[in-house]
Amino acid sequence: MPHPGYQPQPSGITAVLAVVFGFLCLGASAWSIVLLVQPLVGGCGESCFYGPVGVALVTEVVSSLLILIGAILLLARKTAGAILLAVGGFIVVVQAGIGVVMALTYGVMPLVPVLGLLVALAMVVCALLPPTFAYTRKRVATGYRPY
């Protein structure tokens, strides 16, 4: 039986899962950025980046930065990290939802956008769960307690 007043350390499993899903989203985002930048290298020029492709590229870069910074901050037990992961994940959820709709519109099997949608949803849910915030609020004791 634990001592009275003993507070067990909160489990960081939801925070770790949010970071793992965040890095999976970062890998997918990096691949998407490569695919979006390819027309510029292929000789299409700046005209390819006006309209939907430009918006997709900018939102992809912004969501990637939010997820990267959020993952780093969450590993450092900062509450802002969970919030940044959730915001970046929400942007990815919207992008993946648009990808699913576009794939269905053109009659393509939307396997990749659906997987991206599921990973991003899992990241947002793990980042917003109460144990994640409890993990960020609880500080690890450094050193010994004086008598």
Side-chain angles (χ1 to χ4, degrees), residues 11-19 74 123 125-127 129-133 135:
S11 172
I13 191 69
T14 56
V16 171
L17 284 174
V19 170
L74 191 56
M123 179 183 63
V125 167
C126 286
L129 283 174
T132 302
F133 288 104
Y135 175 75

Side-chain angles (χ1 to χ4, degrees), residues 78-119:
K78 303 292 182 189
T79 305
I83 295 168
L84 288 176
L85 269 178
V87 170
F90 178 74
I91 294 171
V92 173
V93 166
V94 170
Q95 288 174 325
I98 291 171
V100 169
V101 170
M102 294 300 292
L104 291 175
T105 301
Y106 290 109
V108 179
M109 181 69 172
L111 180 64
V112 173
V114 167
L115 287 175
L117 183 68
L118 292 176
V119 170

Side-chain angles (χ1 to χ4, degrees), residues 47-99:
S47 63
C48 288
F49 290 101
Y50 297 121
V53 176
V55 171
L57 182 63
V58 169
T59 56
E60 196 73 43
V61 169
V62 167
S63 67
S64 297
L65 287 174
L66 287 172
I67 291 171
L68 178 65
I69 294 168
I72 291 169
L73 288 176
L74 191 56
L75 287 174
R77 287 187 166 207
K78 303 292 182 189
T79 305
I83 295 168
L84 288 176
L85 269 178
V87 170
F90 178 74
I91 294 171
V92 173
V93 166
V94 170
Q95 288 174 325
I98 291 171

